Amino acid sequence: MRMAELSERSGVPTATIKYYLREGLLRPGRRINATQAAYDEEHLRRLRLVRALIQVGRMPVATAREVLVAVEDESLDRHSRIGAAVWSLPDGSPAGPSGDAAEAPRDAADEAAERQALELLERLGWSFGCAARDDSPAYRMLVGALAALERSGYPCVMEDLLTYGRSAGQLGAVDLDMIERYEPGTRQVEAAVAGTVLYEPVLLSLRRLAQAEESNRRFGDGG
């Protein structure tokens, strides 16, 4: 397909597609002549992934490029490749007053959160290697969230965290089941990245709907 058709099918303006090509987010098309190139279904799929990262995931272009580099890294095994791509996604760690959580000095709440997170992972039986754990944006996000709850006066109880963790374990299995529906390789890694970005709003909305339903059951008139 030509760029005009790629734009029409994806809903992305041609100027934006050209920008993504210049920034290395999209592979060049097959050159037809000096001024035109042809694109295929892989370009269309990748373009939709880029839009998901930038629009839904609200990633800067440079961060999206880093994620896509990990997606393309065929030197890694499947587990490492999916992990590298997903770990490249920005985390939502609570920021300090400066707006940068990494620069905020550690305090008693951070230390308590670290101990609680380690205990939680141990009791769940989740076998993170020490180095992998410390490098994980998700682990840092967990510690940051637990510390923020501690500071706010609403600290997490371990039994509640274990309930959340076990539910998350079931969700993780569902996620991997969905990923395995796709062809192994780059397609699966793309699915893992897209699923992480696009399904998090689904999980958040379902949680809030469930809270409303349970509140109505407990405190409302059942209507």
Side-chain angles (χ1 to χ4, degrees), residues 85-208:
V86 173
W87 282 17
S88 298
L89 298 173
D91 65 57
S93 301
S98 67
D100 188 344
E103 294 180 359
R106 287 177 65 84
D107 58 15
D110 291 308
E111 300 294 340
E114 186 90 41
R115 291 192 298 271
Q116 190 174 42
L118 290 172
E119 180 185 351
L120 174 63
L121 296 181
E122 182 179 357
R123 292 181 64 174
L124 288 171
W126 292 0
S127 56
F128 286 81
C130 183
R133 181 198 68 224
D134 292 340
D135 289 340
S136 168
Y139 177 75
R140 295 197 304 268
M141 193 191 322
L142 173 62
V143 172
L146 293 176
L149 285 162
E150 179 72 27
R151 295 188 193 99
S152 71
Y154 298 96
C156 283
V157 177
M158 180 56 66
E159 291 307 313
D160 294 336
L161 285 173
L162 286 168
T163 301
Y164 272 118
R166 294 180 186 119
S167 297
Q170 294 177 322
L171 292 172
V174 172
D175 287 341
L176 269 294
D177 287 343
M178 289 192 294
I179 290 169
E180 286 193 312
R181 295 173 192 164
Y182 298 95
E183 181 181 350
T186 300
R187 190 75 173 96
Q188 279 191 356
V189 184
E190 287 181 348
V193 170
T196 301
V197 172
L198 299 176
Y199 271 88
E200 285 183 347
V202 173
L203 294 175
L204 176 59
S205 61
L206 286 174
R207 179 177 180 241
R208 293 184 180 180

Side-chain angles (χ1 to χ4, degrees), residues 164 205-223:
Y164 272 118
S205 61
L206 286 174
R207 179 177 180 241
R208 293 184 180 180
L209 288 169
Q211 288 173 339
E213 182 67 18
E214 184 65 14
S215 176
N216 185 50
R217 186 186 69 79
R218 295 190 187 193
F219 312 127
D221 59 7

